[in-house]
Amino acid sequence: MPVADSLLLRPIRFRSDFEFQMTQPLRLNPDRLLPADPDTRAVARRLYAEIKALPIISPHGHTDPSWFAGNATFANPAELLITPDHYVFRMLYSQGMAMEDLGVPRADGGAVETDPRKIWRRFAENYHLFRGTPSRMWHDWVYAEVFGLDVRLSAETADHYYDVIDVALQTEAFRPRALFDRYNIEVLTTTESPLDTLEHHKAINASGWKGRVLTAYRPDPVLDPDYEGFRDNLKVLAEQTGRDTLSWDGYLQALRDRRAFFIEMGATSTDHGHPTAFTADLSKSDAEALFKRVSTAPASAADAELFRGQMLTEMAAMSVEDGLVMQLHPGSFRNHSATVFNRFGRDKGCDIPTQTDYVRALKPLLDRFGSDTRLTLILFTLDETSYSRELAPLAGHYPALKLGPSWWFHDSPEGMRRFREQATETAGFYNTVGFNDDTRAFLSIPARHDVARRMDCGFLAKLVVEHRMEEDEAHELAHALTYGLVKAAYKL
């Protein structure tokens, strides 16, 4: 077909006869991501039809709880879809665009672009950079499914997009709680520091709204001696709990106090973003001596790693006591770019995967708690080479271990397929915990879950047509992978 014939030539009407000439259509194929083989695709279609409308369980993410506490309208398209999303600005930064030009706040309060339309135009002009990436899939889903747009985003359509989205955001139907209900989110979990007062969660709970927005306990600021302000954070912890957080026993009790507060506020899980999976199991006297060193002076690299390892084991012990599910997300060299970290702070798209050892690193913790059915430890990885060699065999043996889904850089169709192919043969399906989206961008939640559902249905369909599984079993598994396993694993 000639190029001209494939173009959408009819004008798109918006407000006052605004027309686009020669714009490309935006279409979401109903069979996207399903297998190409006709027989396999037919099975995948049947599986997907059964689970596509199931409620969303989002047990781990970084959306802002203030959205749901205040239920205010999102300010503009850039604030909703660009500025909070490090997947977006890391790609643009890699092509030489200044983060200031995208409105990303500077740590020193320095000047950044404040005109959201200009930010949006810069993003639209460079949207081609996202071809083939998960971000492109998520954004196109949002544009088509949430806002009803039917032309592709480009420099030519940037203002049309901005105007359509901006008008929608001012309506009641696009407030955070309405979108939460519209996309059938049953539970959404945010992630907070142990020093957080959880004021937004208190407001949600007191509001009478029926949406379940829970918190997760992320103690890195008071467990990691390399975390900025670590010793000052211990002082805040002391003020919050009334404990002597410069004594080992007082410090541990203060952590228990904060865990109890989080549980009271609805938390069912903890989350640990340690650089490695290293664990330790020191004697009390050695742990006390180590704590004294790291709490009173800058820690050496060796002491910092040893302390983080000891605290993972201490956290496992506390989870056995109080029932919080434990999540471990190691293997990220966080804030790799000193330039970006110094100018914009943490979590700005410059975290890089590293090789991770699990077999030896987790042994001290597993020697104590690996067979204890009171503990659930969900392991994530950025090191795909460990799937079949380490993670699946570990989870296929230890009752305490479960495998989290493909995470971060591997939250993609190819990443999801690799995970299932390499982990299932040893760990099976039931030692995994379904899908979580780990996102800061609210509207990417339903988009990401739809990708995961389609990929799981495709994987199961292949097993059916290869006569390795009956179709009725695949239907049961599709439901479990979408809904049942995650709900059970996170005690939701």
Side-chain angles (χ1 to χ4, degrees):
M1 177 185 296
V3 173
D5 291 346
S6 69
L7 301 179
L8 182 64
L9 297 177
R10 65 176 179 82
I12 302 302
R13 302 294 178 184
F14 180 74
R15 295 182 182 170
S16 57
D17 279 346
F18 188 70
E19 293 188 1
F20 297 109
Q21 299 296 326
M22 307 293 285
T23 51
Q24 294 280 8
L26 173 62
R27 300 192 186 105
L28 300 184
N29 190 296
D31 285 331
R32 62 191 180 279
L33 301 177
L34 299 186
D37 171 69
D39 291 339
T40 314
R41 174 170 285 188
V43 177
R45 283 173 176 165
R46 292 195 291 272
L47 296 173
Y48 177 70
E50 291 293 322
I51 57 90
K52 65 180 180 180
L54 285 175
I56 290 174
I57 305 290
S58 178
H60 174 88
H62 302 280
T63 51
D64 188 341
S66 70
W67 295 340
F68 309 102
N71 199 34
T73 57
F74 291 104
N76 56 70
E79 183 182 283
L80 175 67
L81 294 165
I82 300 174
T83 305
D85 191 346
H86 61 69
Y87 286 88
V88 168
F89 54 72
R90 80 183 303 273
M91 175 64 81
L92 299 177
Y93 180 81
S94 77
Q95 289 285 310
M97 183 175 291
M99 288 192 186
E100 288 92 341
D101 290 343
L102 298 168
V104 179
R106 284 177 47 155
D108 63 2
V112 301
E113 181 61 70
T114 58
D115 184 335
R117 190 179 289 271
K118 288 183 179 179
I119 294 170
W120 186 265
R121 286 172 177 166
R122 288 174 182 137
F123 171 57
E125 290 165 1
N126 291 280
Y127 194 53
H128 63 280
L129 299 175
F130 295 91
R131 288 170 178 161
T133 68
S135 292
R136 172 65 181 265
M137 285 191 307
W138 302 331
H139 274 254
D140 281 354
W141 187 95
V142 169
Y143 302 145
E145 294 292 327
V146 180
F147 296 106
L149 289 153
D150 60 1
V151 291
R152 289 187 215 165
L153 179 60
S154 65
E156 292 73 25
T157 62
D159 283 337
H160 174 59
Y161 262 69
Y162 188 94
D163 290 338
V164 169
I165 296 171
D166 194 48
V167 168
L169 292 182
Q170 308 314 310
T171 67
E172 291 296 318
F174 286 82
R175 289 181 183 270
R177 293 182 183 179
L179 290 169
F180 187 102
D181 295 337
R182 173 178 170 182
Y183 290 105
N184 199 18
I185 300 175
E186 183 173 313
V187 184
L188 184 150
T189 300
T190 64
T191 307
E192 275 73 47
S193 157
L195 307 178
D196 198 298
T197 60
L198 302 185
E199 290 302 317
H200 298 307
H201 287 276
K202 291 177 183 177
I204 293 168
N205 292 343
S207 70
W209 178 51
K210 301 302 182 183
R212 291 185 69 196
V213 179
L214 309 180
T215 183
Y217 180 81
R218 177 77 172 240
D220 299 1
V222 293
L223 296 192
D224 184 354
D226 288 336
Y227 201 100
E228 59 268 25
F230 171 71
R231 290 185 298 282
D232 289 335
N233 293 340
L234 295 183
K235 295 176 183 177
V236 176
L237 184 63
E239 293 168 1
Q240 289 181 323
T241 63
R243 305 287 183 179
D244 177 10
T245 58
L246 292 182
S247 73
W248 177 239
D249 287 338
Y251 168 69
L252 293 181
Q253 190 55 52
L255 295 177
R256 290 189 181 94
D257 291 345
R258 296 305 291 169
R259 290 171 68 103
F261 171 62
F262 272 64
I263 292 171
E264 182 182 345
M265 294 301 298
T268 68
S269 65
T270 71
D271 182 41
H272 307 272
H274 289 208
T276 74
F278 174 76
T279 63
D281 189 16
L282 303 175
S283 67
K284 182 178 181 182
S285 60
D286 286 345
E288 285 179 319
L290 175 61
F291 177 66
K292 184 174 182 179
R293 293 198 300 273
V294 302
S295 63
T296 56
S300 67
D303 272 356
E305 179 72 345
L306 182 58
F307 187 73
R308 286 189 293 263
Q310 178 64 24
M311 291 314 298
L312 282 179
T313 304
E314 298 291 347
M315 291 293 101
M318 292 183 193
S319 283
V320 168
E321 295 171 0
D322 63 25
L324 287 177
V325 175
M326 187 174 175
Q327 301 174 91
L328 178 58
H329 288 78
S332 176
F333 190 127
R334 296 181 184 269
N335 311 304
H336 190 273
S337 169
T339 299
V340 171
F341 178 71
N342 292 335
R343 182 168 293 187
F344 299 98
R346 60 174 49 246
D347 300 324
K348 294 300 183 291
C350 50
D351 301 336
I352 307 297
T354 61
Q355 185 175 348
T356 305
D357 166 57
Y358 292 89
V359 172
R360 294 175 181 81
L362 289 174
K363 194 170 189 311
L365 185 155
L366 294 176
D367 281 346
R368 280 188 63 181
F369 301 114
S371 297
D372 195 324
T373 56
R374 293 173 296 175
L375 175 66
T376 297
L377 171 56
I378 301 174
L379 299 176
F380 295 77
T381 191
L382 288 174
D383 179 6
E384 291 186 312
T385 67
S386 66
Y387 283 158
S388 60
R389 185 185 65 244
E390 300 186 45
L391 288 174
L394 284 168
H397 171 73
Y398 285 100
L401 294 185
K402 295 286 185 287
L403 299 185
S406 305
W407 167 50
W408 204 340
F409 292 91
H410 310 307
D411 181 8
S412 65
E414 292 78 11
M416 294 172 185
R417 185 182 294 113
R418 288 190 294 265
F419 173 74
R420 291 290 179 210
E421 288 174 345
Q422 295 181 50
T424 302
E425 62 186 5
T426 303
F429 290 106
Y430 293 93
N431 282 314
T432 65
V433 299
F435 177 69
N436 67 55
D437 47 77
D438 191 35
T439 186
R440 288 176 169 78
F442 179 35
L443 288 179
S444 79
I445 292 174
R448 293 176 187 224
H449 282 261
D450 186 61
V451 170
R453 294 175 186 196
R454 289 172 179 274
M455 293 306 299
D456 279 339
C457 288
F459 185 79
L460 293 171
K462 184 172 183 289
L463 297 183
V464 171
V465 299
E466 291 177 352
H467 306 292
R468 298 167 62 188
M469 180 185 297
E470 297 299 327
E471 188 168 334
D472 64 301
E473 295 177 293
H475 279 278
E476 289 183 12
L477 268 169
H479 192 286
L481 295 175
T482 301
Y483 185 77
L485 292 179
V486 63
K487 194 167 184 177
Y490 284 89
K491 303 180 179 180
L492 298 169

